[in-house]
């Protein structure tokens, strides 16, 4: 389309040039005729007329050129040729002037040339003279439209944009300068950091003087006390580590063994605190199953310190011998205490007032939860409790001396989940059964056995069903003791043979008795007295507690009022303990508890001390221990059946 339009414009230009030439030829003819006529008529005015005619011609030519240029400027869409693209309208005006000058120089006659006279043309006066007016033309210089052609091979030339690429030497020099500048900045940063640390070190070395009031405020603040207590515990644990740092492995020393000296058990340590243990008695001890180095002990009232809490619970650690890890308080004497089997941070206690209290090792010394003193719960002393169930479904079973057994959830201690009154119609004065000891066989959550102040053990059910009614079994009674029962413990369930139906009881009648529990699936329909399988009478005072070993089937330990700790092995001897040792200063021993490995025992004394003993290799059973115990139990059962009337006649 652009090519055809350009051809049309060129054709129009050629037509105008042809008209211009024709007009010029006509003027030549008129001019020659006029000159000839004027020369013939008046030779004096010949020169003047020629000059006027020349000026008229020049003006006509200039007007024509200007009209052509104005016509072209009025068409902005008309493309220009190659000659117009280089210059402006000024150049075209110059060409017009040159053309007029050349015409003037061409038609100006010289003096030596004679101009022939032109004949008179009568029609000359009738020639039309156009009226020209001058005006300022506005010239717009519009750039021609750029025609862009694309190539598939190259889109842009190498030097189309930007400056030429730098040389390799220039790039290397620039990189070197940047690297040097970076190193300089890093050195400055290091120097500034070094100067800052030195200034800080000098500031720290400068001792800040504080006033006496500020010192007292810091020393009395809770944060400072907690910090000192925590950090000193860590240091003491490290110092109490039982390791000989000066041991020389190149030198062999003959050390007397325990077997040669006759000491089959070894005293490890004793826990005592001058403030919290003095003038108090240990009422119960228990090991932590989650943290085997922790042992908890409960204490009764200190009759001398009236401003101190009545009940105290101390958590001791084998790594911290000089002071307790935690100290817990209670408004009433704490008679029994234990770590929660499923919440290792919880410590549970039963009190003389009947309240069940719960402490959290993450909190302060006061209980986080406690049961209310109301008719829904216990109102008499709680001497025994046990956790039964599994991780997802478990309950705390407690029993008080008024014969009330309650089941609790640790998250809801405001009210018992269930309660059961133990009554027996055979009592002379009252139907209530005063419970002093409580025991559940392993894997049993409904049936339990209760030791009482009268020295009788009763079997009871938490729920009614095929086993019988809820409460005490009125027909079966385990009689053999002549005084209140102080401890009751069932044989733990482990090993190839199940002895979980065996249980031990201790009493103030100076004996420990072995019983075989009757199956709860076959309740009696008539009154039946069950006698013990055997009576261990090796003590010279009250026997306050007895516990089976958790790893040896035939081993158990007992403590009595003379301060004697006895270890019995049914496979070795049933009449005398295999080890009997005097503990402490001969004070009465109230409680005993094995750790979960069965190697160490914690013994609570009436003088406020907790003694830790290691029985060594005595806790390691042989392969035939279960078979030997089964044989020993069979012999004891046979002997008991042959003397079945002994305890009935004694009654």
């Amino acid at each position: 389309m652009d090519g055809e339009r350009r051809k049309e414009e060129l054709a129009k230009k050629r037509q105008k040039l042809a008209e211009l030439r024709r007009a010029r030829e006509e003027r030549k003819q008129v001019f020659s005729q006029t000159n000839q006529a004027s020369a013939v008529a008046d030779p004096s005015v010949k020169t003047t007329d020629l000059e006027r005619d020349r000026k008229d011609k020049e003006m006509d030519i200039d007007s024509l050129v200007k009209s052509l240029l104005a016509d072209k400027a009025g068409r902005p869409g008309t493309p220009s040729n190659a000659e117009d693209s280089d210059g402006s309208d000024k150049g075209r005006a110059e060409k017009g002037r040159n053309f007029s000058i050349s015409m003037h120089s061409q038609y100006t006659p010289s003096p030596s040339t004679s101009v022939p006279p032109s004949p008179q043309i009568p029609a000359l006066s009738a020639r039309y003279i156009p009226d020209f007016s001058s005006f300022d033309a506005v010239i717009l210089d519009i750039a021609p439209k750029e025609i862009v052609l694309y190539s598939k091979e190259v889109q842009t030339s190498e030097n189309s944009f930007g400056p030429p690429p730098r040389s390799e030497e220039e790039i290397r020099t620039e990189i070197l300068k940047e690297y040097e500048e970076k190193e300089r900045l890093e050195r400055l940063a290091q120097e500034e950091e070094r100067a800052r640390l030195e200034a800080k070190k000098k500031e720290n070395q400068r001792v800040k003087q504080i006033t006496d009031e500020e010192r007292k405020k810091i020393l009395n603040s809770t944060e400072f006390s907690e910090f000192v207590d925590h950090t000193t515990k860590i240091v003491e644990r490290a110092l109490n580590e039982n390791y000989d740092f000066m041991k020389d492995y190149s030198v062999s020393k003959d050390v007397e063994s325990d077997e040669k000296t006759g000491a089959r058990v070894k005293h490890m340590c004793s826990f005592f605190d001058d403030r919290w243990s003095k003038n108090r008695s240990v009422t119960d001890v228990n090991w932590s199953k989650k943290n085997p180095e922790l042992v908890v002990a409960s204490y009764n009232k200190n009759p001398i310190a009236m401003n101190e809490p009545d009940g105290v619970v101390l958590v001791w650690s084998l790594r911290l011998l000089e002071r307790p890890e935690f100290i817990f308080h209670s408004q009433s004497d704490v008679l029994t205490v234990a770590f929660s089997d499923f919440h290792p941070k919880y410590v549970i206690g039963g009190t003389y007032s009947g309240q069940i209290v719960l402490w959290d090792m993450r909190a302060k010394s006061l209980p986080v939860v406690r049961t209310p003193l109301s008719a829904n719960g216990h109102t008499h002393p709680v001497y025994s409790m046990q956790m039964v169930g599994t991780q997802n479904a478990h309950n705390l079973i407690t029993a008080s001396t008024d014969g009330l057994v309650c089941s609790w959830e640790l998250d809801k201690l405001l009210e018992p989940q269930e309660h059961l009154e133990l009554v027996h119609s055979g009592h002379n004065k009252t139907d209530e059964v005063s419970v002093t000891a409580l025991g559940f066989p392993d894997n049993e959550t409904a049936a339990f056995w209760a030791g009482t102040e009268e020295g009788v053990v009763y079997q009871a059910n938490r729920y009614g069903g095929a086993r019988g009614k809820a409460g005490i079994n009125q027909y079966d009674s385990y009689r053999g003791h002549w005084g209140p029962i102080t401890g009751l413990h069932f044989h733990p369930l482990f090993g190839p043979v199940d002895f979980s139906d065996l249980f031990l009881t201790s009493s103030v009648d100076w004996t420990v008795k072995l019983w075989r529990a009757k199956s709860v699936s076959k309740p009696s329909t008539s009154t039946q007295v069950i006698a013990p399988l055997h009576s261990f009478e090796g003590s010279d005072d009250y026997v306050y507690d007895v516990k089976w070993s958790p790893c040896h089937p035939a081993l158990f330990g007992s403590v009595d009022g003379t301060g004697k700790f006895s270890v019995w092995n049914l496979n070795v001897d049933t009449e005398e303990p295999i080890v009997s040792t005097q503990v402490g200063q001969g004070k009465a021993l109230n409680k005993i508890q094995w750790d979960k490995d069965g190697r160490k025992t914690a013994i609570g004394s009436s003088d406020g001390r907790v003694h830790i003993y290691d029985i060594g290799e005595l806790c390691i059973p042989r392969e035939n221990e279960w078979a030997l115990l089964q044989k020993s139990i069979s012999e004891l059962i046979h002997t008991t059946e042959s003397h079945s009337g002994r305890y009935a006649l004694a009654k």
Side-chain angles (χ1 to χ4, degrees):
M1 297 296 293
D2 292 340
E4 294 178 357
R5 187 171 52 188
R6 186 172 179 82
K7 288 180 180 180
E8 292 177 358
E9 290 178 356
L10 291 176
K12 291 179 181 180
K13 288 182 179 181
R14 290 192 188 97
Q15 184 178 1
K16 288 184 178 181
L17 289 176
E19 292 176 356
L20 183 61
R21 291 191 186 97
R22 187 170 55 254
R24 186 181 59 183
E25 292 296 334
E26 291 177 356
R27 283 194 298 271
K28 278 184 179 183
Q29 294 178 3
V30 173
F31 179 71
S32 61
Q33 293 176 3
T34 305
N35 286 340
Q36 290 177 4
S38 61
V40 173
D42 191 3
S44 61
V45 296
K46 180 175 67 175
T47 303
T48 303
D49 294 334
L50 292 174
E51 290 178 358
R52 185 172 59 251
D53 293 336
R54 180 172 53 81
K55 290 180 180 180
D56 293 336
K57 292 178 181 179
E58 290 178 358
M59 291 177 63
D60 294 338
I61 293 172
D62 292 338
S63 300
L64 182 59
V65 171
K66 288 182 179 181
S67 65
L68 292 175
L69 294 176
D71 186 24
K72 183 178 181 180
R75 300 192 302 271
T78 304
S80 62
N81 54 16
E83 183 178 355
D84 293 338
S85 63
D86 296 335
S88 63
D89 291 339
K90 183 179 180 181
R92 289 190 290 270
E94 287 289 338
K95 292 181 181 180
R97 284 196 296 272
N98 293 337
F99 176 76
S100 64
I101 293 171
S102 63
M103 292 292 293
H104 174 71
S105 62
Q106 182 178 1
Y107 292 101
T108 302
S110 62
S112 60
T113 305
S114 62
V115 180
S118 59
Q120 295 289 334
I121 301 174
L124 183 63
S125 59
R127 184 174 61 90
Y128 173 75
I129 299 175
D131 187 8
F132 294 99
S133 61
S134 62
F135 62 92
D136 296 332
V138 180
I139 301 174
L140 300 176
D141 190 2
I142 300 175
K145 184 177 180 181
E146 183 180 1
I147 300 176
V148 182
L149 300 177
Y150 292 94
S151 175
K152 293 183 180 180
E153 297 178 356
V154 180
Q155 298 295 326
T156 58
S157 60
E158 184 178 359
N159 299 327
S160 298
F161 306 101
R166 295 176 296 176
S167 63
E168 184 178 353
E169 187 64 28
E170 292 176 351
I171 296 174
R172 186 181 293 107
T173 304
E174 185 176 355
I175 293 174
L176 184 60
K177 288 181 179 180
E178 292 178 356
Y179 182 74
E180 292 176 352
E181 181 67 17
K182 184 178 180 181
E183 286 187 343
R184 186 181 66 82
L185 294 176
E186 289 179 355
R187 287 195 299 270
L188 290 176
Q190 292 176 359
E191 292 176 358
E192 292 178 358
E193 182 68 16
R194 192 181 300 109
R196 187 183 64 82
L197 293 176
E198 290 178 357
K200 186 177 180 180
K201 185 177 180 181
K202 291 180 180 179
E203 184 68 22
N204 293 335
Q205 291 176 353
R206 190 181 307 162
V207 179
K208 182 180 179 181
Q209 299 294 334
I210 59 176
T211 62
D212 293 339
E213 294 181 358
E214 293 177 345
R215 185 182 295 105
K216 290 180 180 179
K217 185 177 180 180
I218 293 174
L219 294 177
N220 295 330
S221 64
T222 306
E223 294 80 3
F224 182 77
S225 300
E226 292 178 353
F227 168 76
V228 173
D229 184 67
H230 178 68
T231 53
T232 52
K233 282 181 182 179
I234 295 175
V235 174
E236 289 183 24
R237 289 173 191 164
L239 295 177
N240 290 328
E241 186 68 27
N242 189 15
Y243 178 75
D244 187 7
F245 296 94
M246 303 299 294
K247 185 175 182 179
D248 188 359
Y249 294 98
S250 62
V251 179
S252 60
K253 296 181 181 180
D254 295 333
V255 181
E256 293 183 349
S257 63
D258 293 340
E259 294 181 359
K260 293 182 180 180
T261 58
R264 304 287 294 275
V265 294
K266 179 181 178 182
H267 175 257
M268 296 181 61
C269 60
S270 295
F271 298 114
F272 184 81
D273 187 82
D274 290 334
R275 178 181 179 184
W276 300 110
S277 302
K278 192 174 182 179
N279 299 322
R280 298 178 186 266
S281 297
V282 178
T283 56
D284 199 4
V285 291
N286 195 273
W287 290 90
S288 172
K289 295 182 179 180
K290 179 68 175 179
N291 303 298
E293 72 276 6
L294 296 182
V295 58
V296 62
S298 59
Y299 300 81
N300 61 2
K301 183 189 301 183
N302 183 358
I304 298 177
M306 301 301 296
N307 295 328
E308 292 184 357
D310 291 348
V312 175
V313 171
L314 303 180
V315 178
W316 300 94
S317 173
L318 298 180
R319 303 287 185 268
L320 189 65
L321 304 179
E322 301 298 328
R323 55 176 172 160
E325 284 278 356
F326 301 97
I327 302 173
F328 300 124
H329 299 161
S330 174
Q331 296 178 349
S332 179
D333 300 19
V334 183
L335 304 180
T336 179
V337 70
F339 285 102
S340 174
D341 294 342
F342 308 105
H343 304 85
K345 298 293 188 299
Y346 291 168
V347 178
I348 311 167
T351 64
Y352 185 81
S353 63
Q355 283 184 307
I356 307 300
V357 291
L358 175 66
W359 296 278
D360 193 335
M361 289 192 290
R362 297 165 294 186
K364 300 296 182 180
S365 58
L366 294 177
V368 294
V369 185
R370 70 184 72 186
T371 60
L373 290 172
S374 63
N376 291 331
H378 297 292
T379 56
H380 286 66
V382 177
Y383 281 97
S384 58
M385 64 181 183
Q386 186 172 342
M387 186 78 70
V388 296
T390 61
Q391 175 70 40
N392 297 326
H394 55 271
N395 296 99
L396 177 67
I397 309 299
T398 59
S400 58
T401 56
D402 62 347
L404 184 64
V405 177
C406 295
S407 175
W408 308 85
E409 290 185 0
L410 296 184
D411 298 335
K412 302 176 182 178
L413 289 181
L414 297 179
E415 187 177 358
Q417 187 179 13
E418 59 186 43
H419 58 84
L420 177 68
E421 293 184 3
L422 301 182
V423 294
H424 197 281
S425 58
H427 285 194
N428 295 327
K429 297 181 180 180
T430 176
D431 292 341
E432 294 179 353
V433 175
S434 179
V435 180
T436 57
L438 184 73
F440 281 81
D442 284 354
N443 296 333
E444 180 62 58
T445 59
F448 62 93
W449 278 252
T452 63
E453 286 184 353
E454 62 189 83
V456 182
V457 178
Y458 293 104
Q459 185 268 324
N461 297 314
R462 292 175 59 191
Y463 315 107
R467 297 179 176 183
K469 297 180 180 180
I472 287 181
N473 184 347
Q474 302 290 329
Y475 301 106
D476 295 338
S477 60
Y478 298 78
R479 300 181 181 272
H481 286 293
W482 299 92
I485 294 176
T486 57
L488 187 152
H489 190 227
F490 272 86
H491 195 287
L493 180 60
F494 67 94
V497 182
D498 183 6
F499 295 109
S500 61
D501 58 343
L502 300 178
F503 66 92
L504 294 167
T505 57
S506 60
S507 174
V508 297
D509 63 357
W510 300 11
T511 64
V512 173
K513 298 190 184 299
L514 174 65
W515 308 81
R516 185 180 184 184
K518 186 179 178 180
S519 175
V520 296
S521 61
K522 298 178 181 180
S524 300
T525 57
S526 61
T527 303
Q528 184 177 1
V529 177
I530 301 173
L533 297 180
H534 188 72
S535 179
F536 304 92
E537 301 176 355
S539 178
D540 297 330
D541 205 333
Y542 296 166
V543 181
Y544 284 106
D545 201 9
V546 62
K547 289 291 189 304
W548 287 103
S549 170
C551 62
H552 195 296
L555 202 70
F556 68 89
S558 63
V559 291
D560 60 21
T562 61
K564 187 181 295 184
F565 166 46
S566 301
V567 179
W568 300 76
N569 190 334
L570 298 181
N571 292 337
V572 177
D573 194 349
T574 58
E575 301 297 331
E576 294 291 334
I578 58 173
V579 174
S580 182
T581 182
Q582 194 72 27
V583 177
Q585 300 176 357
K587 300 294 182 178
L589 306 179
N590 296 331
K591 289 293 179 179
I592 180 176
Q593 184 67 46
W594 300 89
D595 69 344
K596 67 177 184 178
D597 296 329
R599 188 179 183 90
K600 294 185 288 292
T601 59
I603 301 172
S605 174
S606 59
D607 61 355
R609 285 177 168 81
V610 177
H611 306 280
I612 307 298
Y613 276 82
D614 187 349
I615 67 171
E617 296 181 356
L618 292 177
C619 68
I620 302 175
R622 295 172 296 178
E623 294 183 358
N624 61 343
E625 294 289 352
W626 283 267
L628 292 175
L629 179 60
Q630 194 172 18
K631 181 179 179 182
S632 300
I633 296 300
S634 298
E635 293 176 356
L636 292 175
I637 292 174
H638 178 71
T639 304
T640 303
E641 290 178 352
S642 62
H643 300 84
S644 58
R646 175 183 174 185
Y647 294 100
L649 294 175
K651 181 181 178 182

